[in-house]
Amino acid sequence: MVGVKMATAAAASIRERQTVALKRMLNFNVPHVKNSTGEPVWKVLIYDRFGQDIISPLLSVKELRDMGITLHLLLHSDRDPIPDVPAVYFVMPTEENIDRMCQDLRNQLYESYYLNFISAISRSKLEDIANAALAASAVTQVAKVFDQYLNFITLEDDMFVLCNQNKELVSYRAINRPDITDTEMETVMDTIVDSLFCFFVTLGAVPIIRCSRGTAAEMVAVKLDKKLRENLRDARNSLFTGDTLGAGQFSFQRPLLVLVDRNIDLATPLHHTWTYQALVHDVLDFHLNRVNLEESSGVENSPAGARPKRKNKKSYDLTPVDKFWQKHKGSPFPEVAESVQQELESYRAQEDEVKRLKSIMGLEGEDEGAISMLSDNTAKLTSAVSSLPELLEKKRLIDLHTNVATAVLEHIKARKLDVYFEYEEKIMSKTTLDKSLLDIISDPDAGTPEDKMRLFLIYYISAQQAPSEADLEQYKKALTDAGCNLNPLQYIKQWKAFAKMASAPASYGNTTTKPMGLLSRVMNTGSQFVMEGVKNLVLKQQNLPVTRILDNLMEMKSNPETDDYRYFDPKMLRGNDSSVPRNKNPFQEAIVFVVGGGNYIEYQNLVDYIKGKQGKHILYGCSELFNATQFIKQVKCTLVVCFL
């Protein structure tokens, strides 16, 4: 019986919990009943950019319409009065937002106001709203005021990020600037802790916290422990004791929160990748589960001197509803290409069957064979027609993934990303290299200057011993000739010296990818994806540093890498600095949170790791989600500050 209970509890992912909280808010903070027969109350949703980013990966426009949302408008846009409709606000409690809400009250824009704040609003700002409502004689129209504690963005069932707007406030650069003042650092840490607190309120669980010493992760741990402790001490107002939370994912055992600092592993964010989701994020414009593509217009005969046609931009949502995406987002790219081809063939076979049945239905004459055939096929055709909407949806998804995968394939071929991925895997796993690093850097056809820089940085970070000055000068010259900006290398040199990484670089395991001898049938020219010249690499599972740290702490293993990690239990009456864990049993549930930014490579590595652990669950979170291009940009900027 307990097993059944546990399985039911674990079904409520963080995505579901945040979606339920949003639906309750849109239903005037009353639990939303799925199959209610009555018409929903029509209302307007007013949000700021923060609210928009939280809602967009979770609720489609159709779902909002089903909840009675006829209009969704940005708070600071020009809005006309709609006096007979209630308005649901979902905004951050900033000075600017409060002023605009007070202005709405004065202008009598809506029939009633349901004010929902993404994070907790301070008493002074609440008083500002009360005064504005009094002055506008709109006290009775302010129906409800709620703190929602939803200040984080859920991208997957098991993945979340802190913010998208103003993410530079909690970025890797913001935390690692050498000229940062104590006050600025406090602000950064408070912003991160506020969002993590919201996350645990939504989850309905108080975690046990582990973190490395002497890092930004430790500062976050200390502040989060204090904030959770203070909330638990206030028995009447504690957010972790109400009936509203229900039985959550972590009801039966408290979760472990592992806070790690980005600086423990700078190679992974730079690594070229080979899985579908991580590749889409690395080479395309992929943002809050939406990918934006420029459609190539093809060769057209335009009159001489005519202005070239502008490229069409297309956006695709890659959501959990998309079964192909859910199944293949963590698969190696050649496997994805093969699966798209198989789906296309399956769709064509079904389409041909419908056409065949239609032609049979058109048979005329008294031939008994034709008539009996007709009656047999009527049922088949009826079945085929009823499955038509499903077939059309299948076609839409095939077109979507054909376009996305083709765009990714163009990058792989143009930049030889398969070569980079294989070479970097060998560097990180200390395998013998079959080609010299200088040859790849000097090859004008292999990748962009940024690709070359990423490869060299991974080599530099992973090396047991830094290259000699003479060798380094040779590499620098080759990189400069290839058009690379050397600022990131200067920063990594400083970081490596500061972190004393030269003697003990992060270990990335000793397994590597294996190229397959024969290319699979998707590589044939009959395929939608002509992949000649692209290696069909098979991934081998290896634990990245973040996964290894989680494994040590979750399984209570003794390991020099994590033995010194601090231990916090916010439920203990007295907090002390003892790092001795009181819990001796392995954890069933864990949240890994990377302070300073994360990526899809780490996320996928954790997903692969937990597949082999029956009954265990992991969530991955980070202060921001960046790809290698964005990370290198931050590293460059951090160095500029260093030199000022």
Side-chain angles (χ1 to χ4, degrees):
M1 189 64 193
V2 174
V4 175
K5 265 186 170 180
M6 186 68 188
T8 315
S13 67
I14 187 60
R15 185 188 188 94
E16 283 175 65
R17 294 179 79 77
Q18 197 176 23
T19 306
V20 166
L22 286 171
K23 285 185 172 179
R24 185 177 60 218
M25 176 192 82
L26 296 174
N27 202 40
F28 305 126
N29 287 293
V30 176
H32 175 62
V33 183
K34 265 188 183 173
N35 300 322
S36 53
T37 48
E39 278 284 303
V41 177
W42 300 112
K43 54 192 99 79
V44 179
L45 172 62
I46 312 293
Y47 47 36
D48 60 0
R49 293 282 180 196
F50 289 90
Q52 186 180 36
D53 288 345
I54 291 165
I55 291 172
S56 66
L58 297 177
L59 296 172
S60 65
V61 173
K62 182 189 179 302
E63 286 172 300
L64 289 176
R65 187 73 40 80
D66 292 343
M67 293 290 301
I69 303 294
T70 51
L71 273 176
H72 36 97
L73 305 163
L74 283 164
L75 176 67
H76 293 281
S77 60
D78 293 328
R79 288 173 283 119
D80 295 323
I82 314 175
D84 53 348
V85 170
V88 176
Y89 285 73
F90 184 53
V91 296
M92 286 291 279
T94 62
E95 205 74 57
E96 192 186 12
N97 284 352
I98 302 294
D99 288 349
R100 187 59 189 259
M101 290 161 84
C102 293
Q103 191 183 319
D104 287 359
L105 289 170
R106 286 192 291 273
N107 294 342
Q108 300 280 309
L109 288 190
Y110 308 109
E111 177 194 70
S112 53
Y113 302 82
Y114 293 80
L115 310 181
N116 298 279
F117 296 101
I118 296 168
S119 267
I121 185 171
S122 66
R123 186 173 179 85
S124 61
K125 285 175 181 166
L126 208 50
E127 285 169 359
D128 292 344
I129 294 173
N131 291 333
L134 275 169
S137 304
V139 176
T140 53
Q141 288 167 275
V142 179
K144 286 180 181 177
V145 181
F146 268 85
D147 288 332
Q148 290 293 347
Y149 295 100
L150 290 172
N151 190 15
F152 60 96
I153 300 168
T154 306
L155 296 175
E156 303 283 345
D157 285 344
D158 48 7
M159 182 188 193
F160 69 100
V161 296
L162 292 198
C163 61
N164 181 47
Q165 301 299 320
N166 299 351
K167 62 182 173 188
E168 63 279 358
L169 294 178
V170 294
S171 66
Y172 178 81
R173 177 178 179 257
I175 296 167
N176 291 280
R177 283 193 304 138
D179 64 337
I180 192 166
T181 64
D182 288 351
T183 315
E184 287 171 328
M185 193 60 150
E186 286 287 317
T187 307
V188 172
M189 294 298 118
D190 286 340
T191 307
I192 293 173
V193 168
D194 176 68
S195 287
L196 278 174
F197 182 76
C198 289
F199 171 82
F200 283 106
V201 170
T202 305
L203 200 62
V206 179
I208 285 166
I209 306 168
R210 301 296 303 273
C211 69
S212 51
R213 292 174 183 271
T215 61
E218 184 181 23
M219 296 169 76
V220 171
V222 170
K223 280 181 171 286
L224 182 61
D225 175 62
K226 183 170 181 270
K227 194 171 177 98
L228 288 165
R229 197 178 290 280
E230 283 171 358
N231 189 266
L232 288 165
R233 201 177 292 144
D234 185 355
R236 284 184 306 172
N237 296 315
S238 175
L239 294 156
F240 296 95
T241 53
D243 292 332
T244 51
L245 295 167
Q249 182 176 357
F250 298 115
S251 309
F252 291 85
Q253 191 201 26
R254 287 171 62 199
L256 170 71
L257 169 63
V258 179
L259 290 167
V260 293
D261 194 283
R262 180 70 274 156
N263 283 319
I264 62 147
D265 173 18
L266 293 189
T268 300
L270 297 165
H271 190 15
H272 288 87
T273 179
W274 200 232
T275 56
Y276 191 26
Q277 186 177 40
L279 264 169
V280 168
H281 190 234
D282 189 17
V283 303
L284 304 178
D285 176 11
F286 183 49
H287 185 68
L288 295 181
N289 292 351
R290 173 169 289 182
V291 62
N292 298 305
L293 292 181
E294 276 194 351
E295 285 192 317
S296 50
S297 44
V299 182
E300 289 177 16
N301 297 325
S302 51
R307 188 179 295 173
K309 285 193 173 183
R310 290 179 66 183
K311 285 186 176 180
N312 290 333
K313 282 201 169 184
K314 275 214 162 185
S315 289
Y316 300 109
D317 289 321
L318 299 172
T319 64
V321 181
D322 181 342
K323 286 177 184 169
F324 185 90
W325 176 248
Q326 285 304 96
K327 186 177 177 185
H328 294 291
K329 64 187 179 186
S331 303
F333 185 74
E335 205 177 287
V336 174
E338 185 165 2
S339 298
V340 173
Q341 188 63 27
Q342 285 169 354
E343 290 284 325
L344 189 60
E345 285 166 12
S346 156
Y347 167 77
R348 282 177 181 156
Q350 284 176 278
E351 195 180 39
D352 290 345
E353 177 66 6
V354 173
K355 284 177 184 168
R356 190 181 71 80
L357 289 168
K358 277 184 178 172
S359 69
I360 289 170
M361 294 299 280
L363 283 174
E364 289 176 11
E366 303 301 315
D367 183 10
E368 273 185 33
I371 292 167
S372 66
M373 215 172 167
L374 189 67
S375 57
D376 286 348
N377 284 298
T378 305
K380 284 185 186 174
L381 184 64
T382 309
S383 166
V385 169
S386 65
S387 66
L388 216 53
E390 199 181 311
L391 209 58
L392 289 170
E393 175 61 11
K394 193 173 184 180
K395 178 73 168 73
R396 186 187 71 80
L397 291 179
I398 292 166
D399 289 346
L400 185 163
H401 288 288
T402 301
N403 292 342
V404 172
T406 303
V408 170
L409 182 60
E410 283 169 10
H411 280 272
I412 291 172
K413 285 183 165 181
R415 293 161 54 186
K416 297 190 178 174
L417 298 184
D418 51 333
V419 176
Y420 277 94
F421 169 69
E422 189 183 17
Y423 201 89
E424 287 165 8
E425 286 277 300
K426 286 179 177 174
I427 288 173
M428 291 164 81
S429 57
K430 313 285 186 288
T431 312
T432 314
L433 303 173
D434 50 1
K435 193 176 182 183
S436 97
L437 192 60
L438 272 173
D439 285 351
I440 296 185
I441 293 170
S442 308
D443 182 353
D445 297 326
T448 61
E450 188 184 272
D451 290 325
K452 296 174 197 285
M453 194 70 215
R454 284 164 66 177
L455 173 66
F456 183 72
L457 290 177
I458 288 171
Y459 162 73
Y460 191 87
I461 290 166
S462 304
Q464 293 280 1
Q465 278 187 313
S468 65
E469 279 304 312
D471 286 349
L472 194 57
E473 284 308 312
Q474 205 179 352
Y475 284 126
K476 279 184 177 177
K477 184 183 182 308
L479 288 165
T480 308
D481 292 347
C484 298
N485 179 323
L486 295 183
N487 271 4
L489 175 59
Q490 297 295 340
Y491 177 79
I492 296 294
K493 272 180 81 173
Q494 288 182 357
W495 164 79
K496 193 160 181 172
F498 178 73
K500 298 185 180 125
M501 290 289 284
S503 57
S507 163
Y508 296 90
N510 55 8
T511 55
T512 185
T513 52
K514 287 193 175 178
M516 286 178 66
L518 291 167
L519 295 182
S520 59
R521 66 190 183 83
V522 72
M523 307 300 162
N524 300 335
T525 46
S527 160
Q528 180 82 26
F529 302 96
V530 184
M531 292 184 69
E532 300 99 316
V534 176
K535 292 187 177 183
N536 188 16
L537 299 165
V538 177
L539 290 170
K540 276 290 201 95
Q541 178 57 33
Q542 60 184 37
N543 287 343
L544 293 174
V546 166
T547 306
R548 215 171 45 246
I549 288 165
L550 172 88
D551 180 51
N552 291 340
L553 296 172
M554 198 173 179
E555 301 295 338
M556 307 301 287
K557 293 176 182 174
S558 177
N559 189 298
E561 197 174 20
T562 50
D563 284 348
D564 195 37
Y565 269 49
R566 288 190 68 180
Y567 178 98
F568 297 89
D569 184 350
K571 282 194 173 181
M572 296 285 288
L573 288 173
R574 281 194 191 82
N576 60 28
D577 284 344
S578 168
S579 63
V580 180
R582 285 149 197 77
N583 178 25
K584 300 294 180 193
N585 298 320
F587 287 87
Q588 295 301 307
E589 325 279 356
I591 299 108
V592 185
F593 185 82
V594 187
V595 179
N599 53 74
Y600 280 110
I601 305 173
E602 253 165 15
Y603 163 66
Q604 191 57 50
N605 196 248
L606 283 163
V607 168
D608 292 340
Y609 159 80
I610 207 67
K611 276 177 188 168
K613 308 279 181 185
Q614 205 171 359
K616 299 205 171 197
H617 303 277
I618 289 181
L619 290 171
Y620 177 75
C622 49
S623 44
E624 62 165 330
L625 191 64
F626 47 51
N627 59 21
T629 304
Q630 293 156 342
F631 183 55
I632 281 183
K633 208 174 280 181
Q634 288 198 38
V635 165
K636 276 184 200 167
C637 295
T638 310
L639 186 82
V640 170
V641 174
C642 282
F643 287 157
L644 287 177

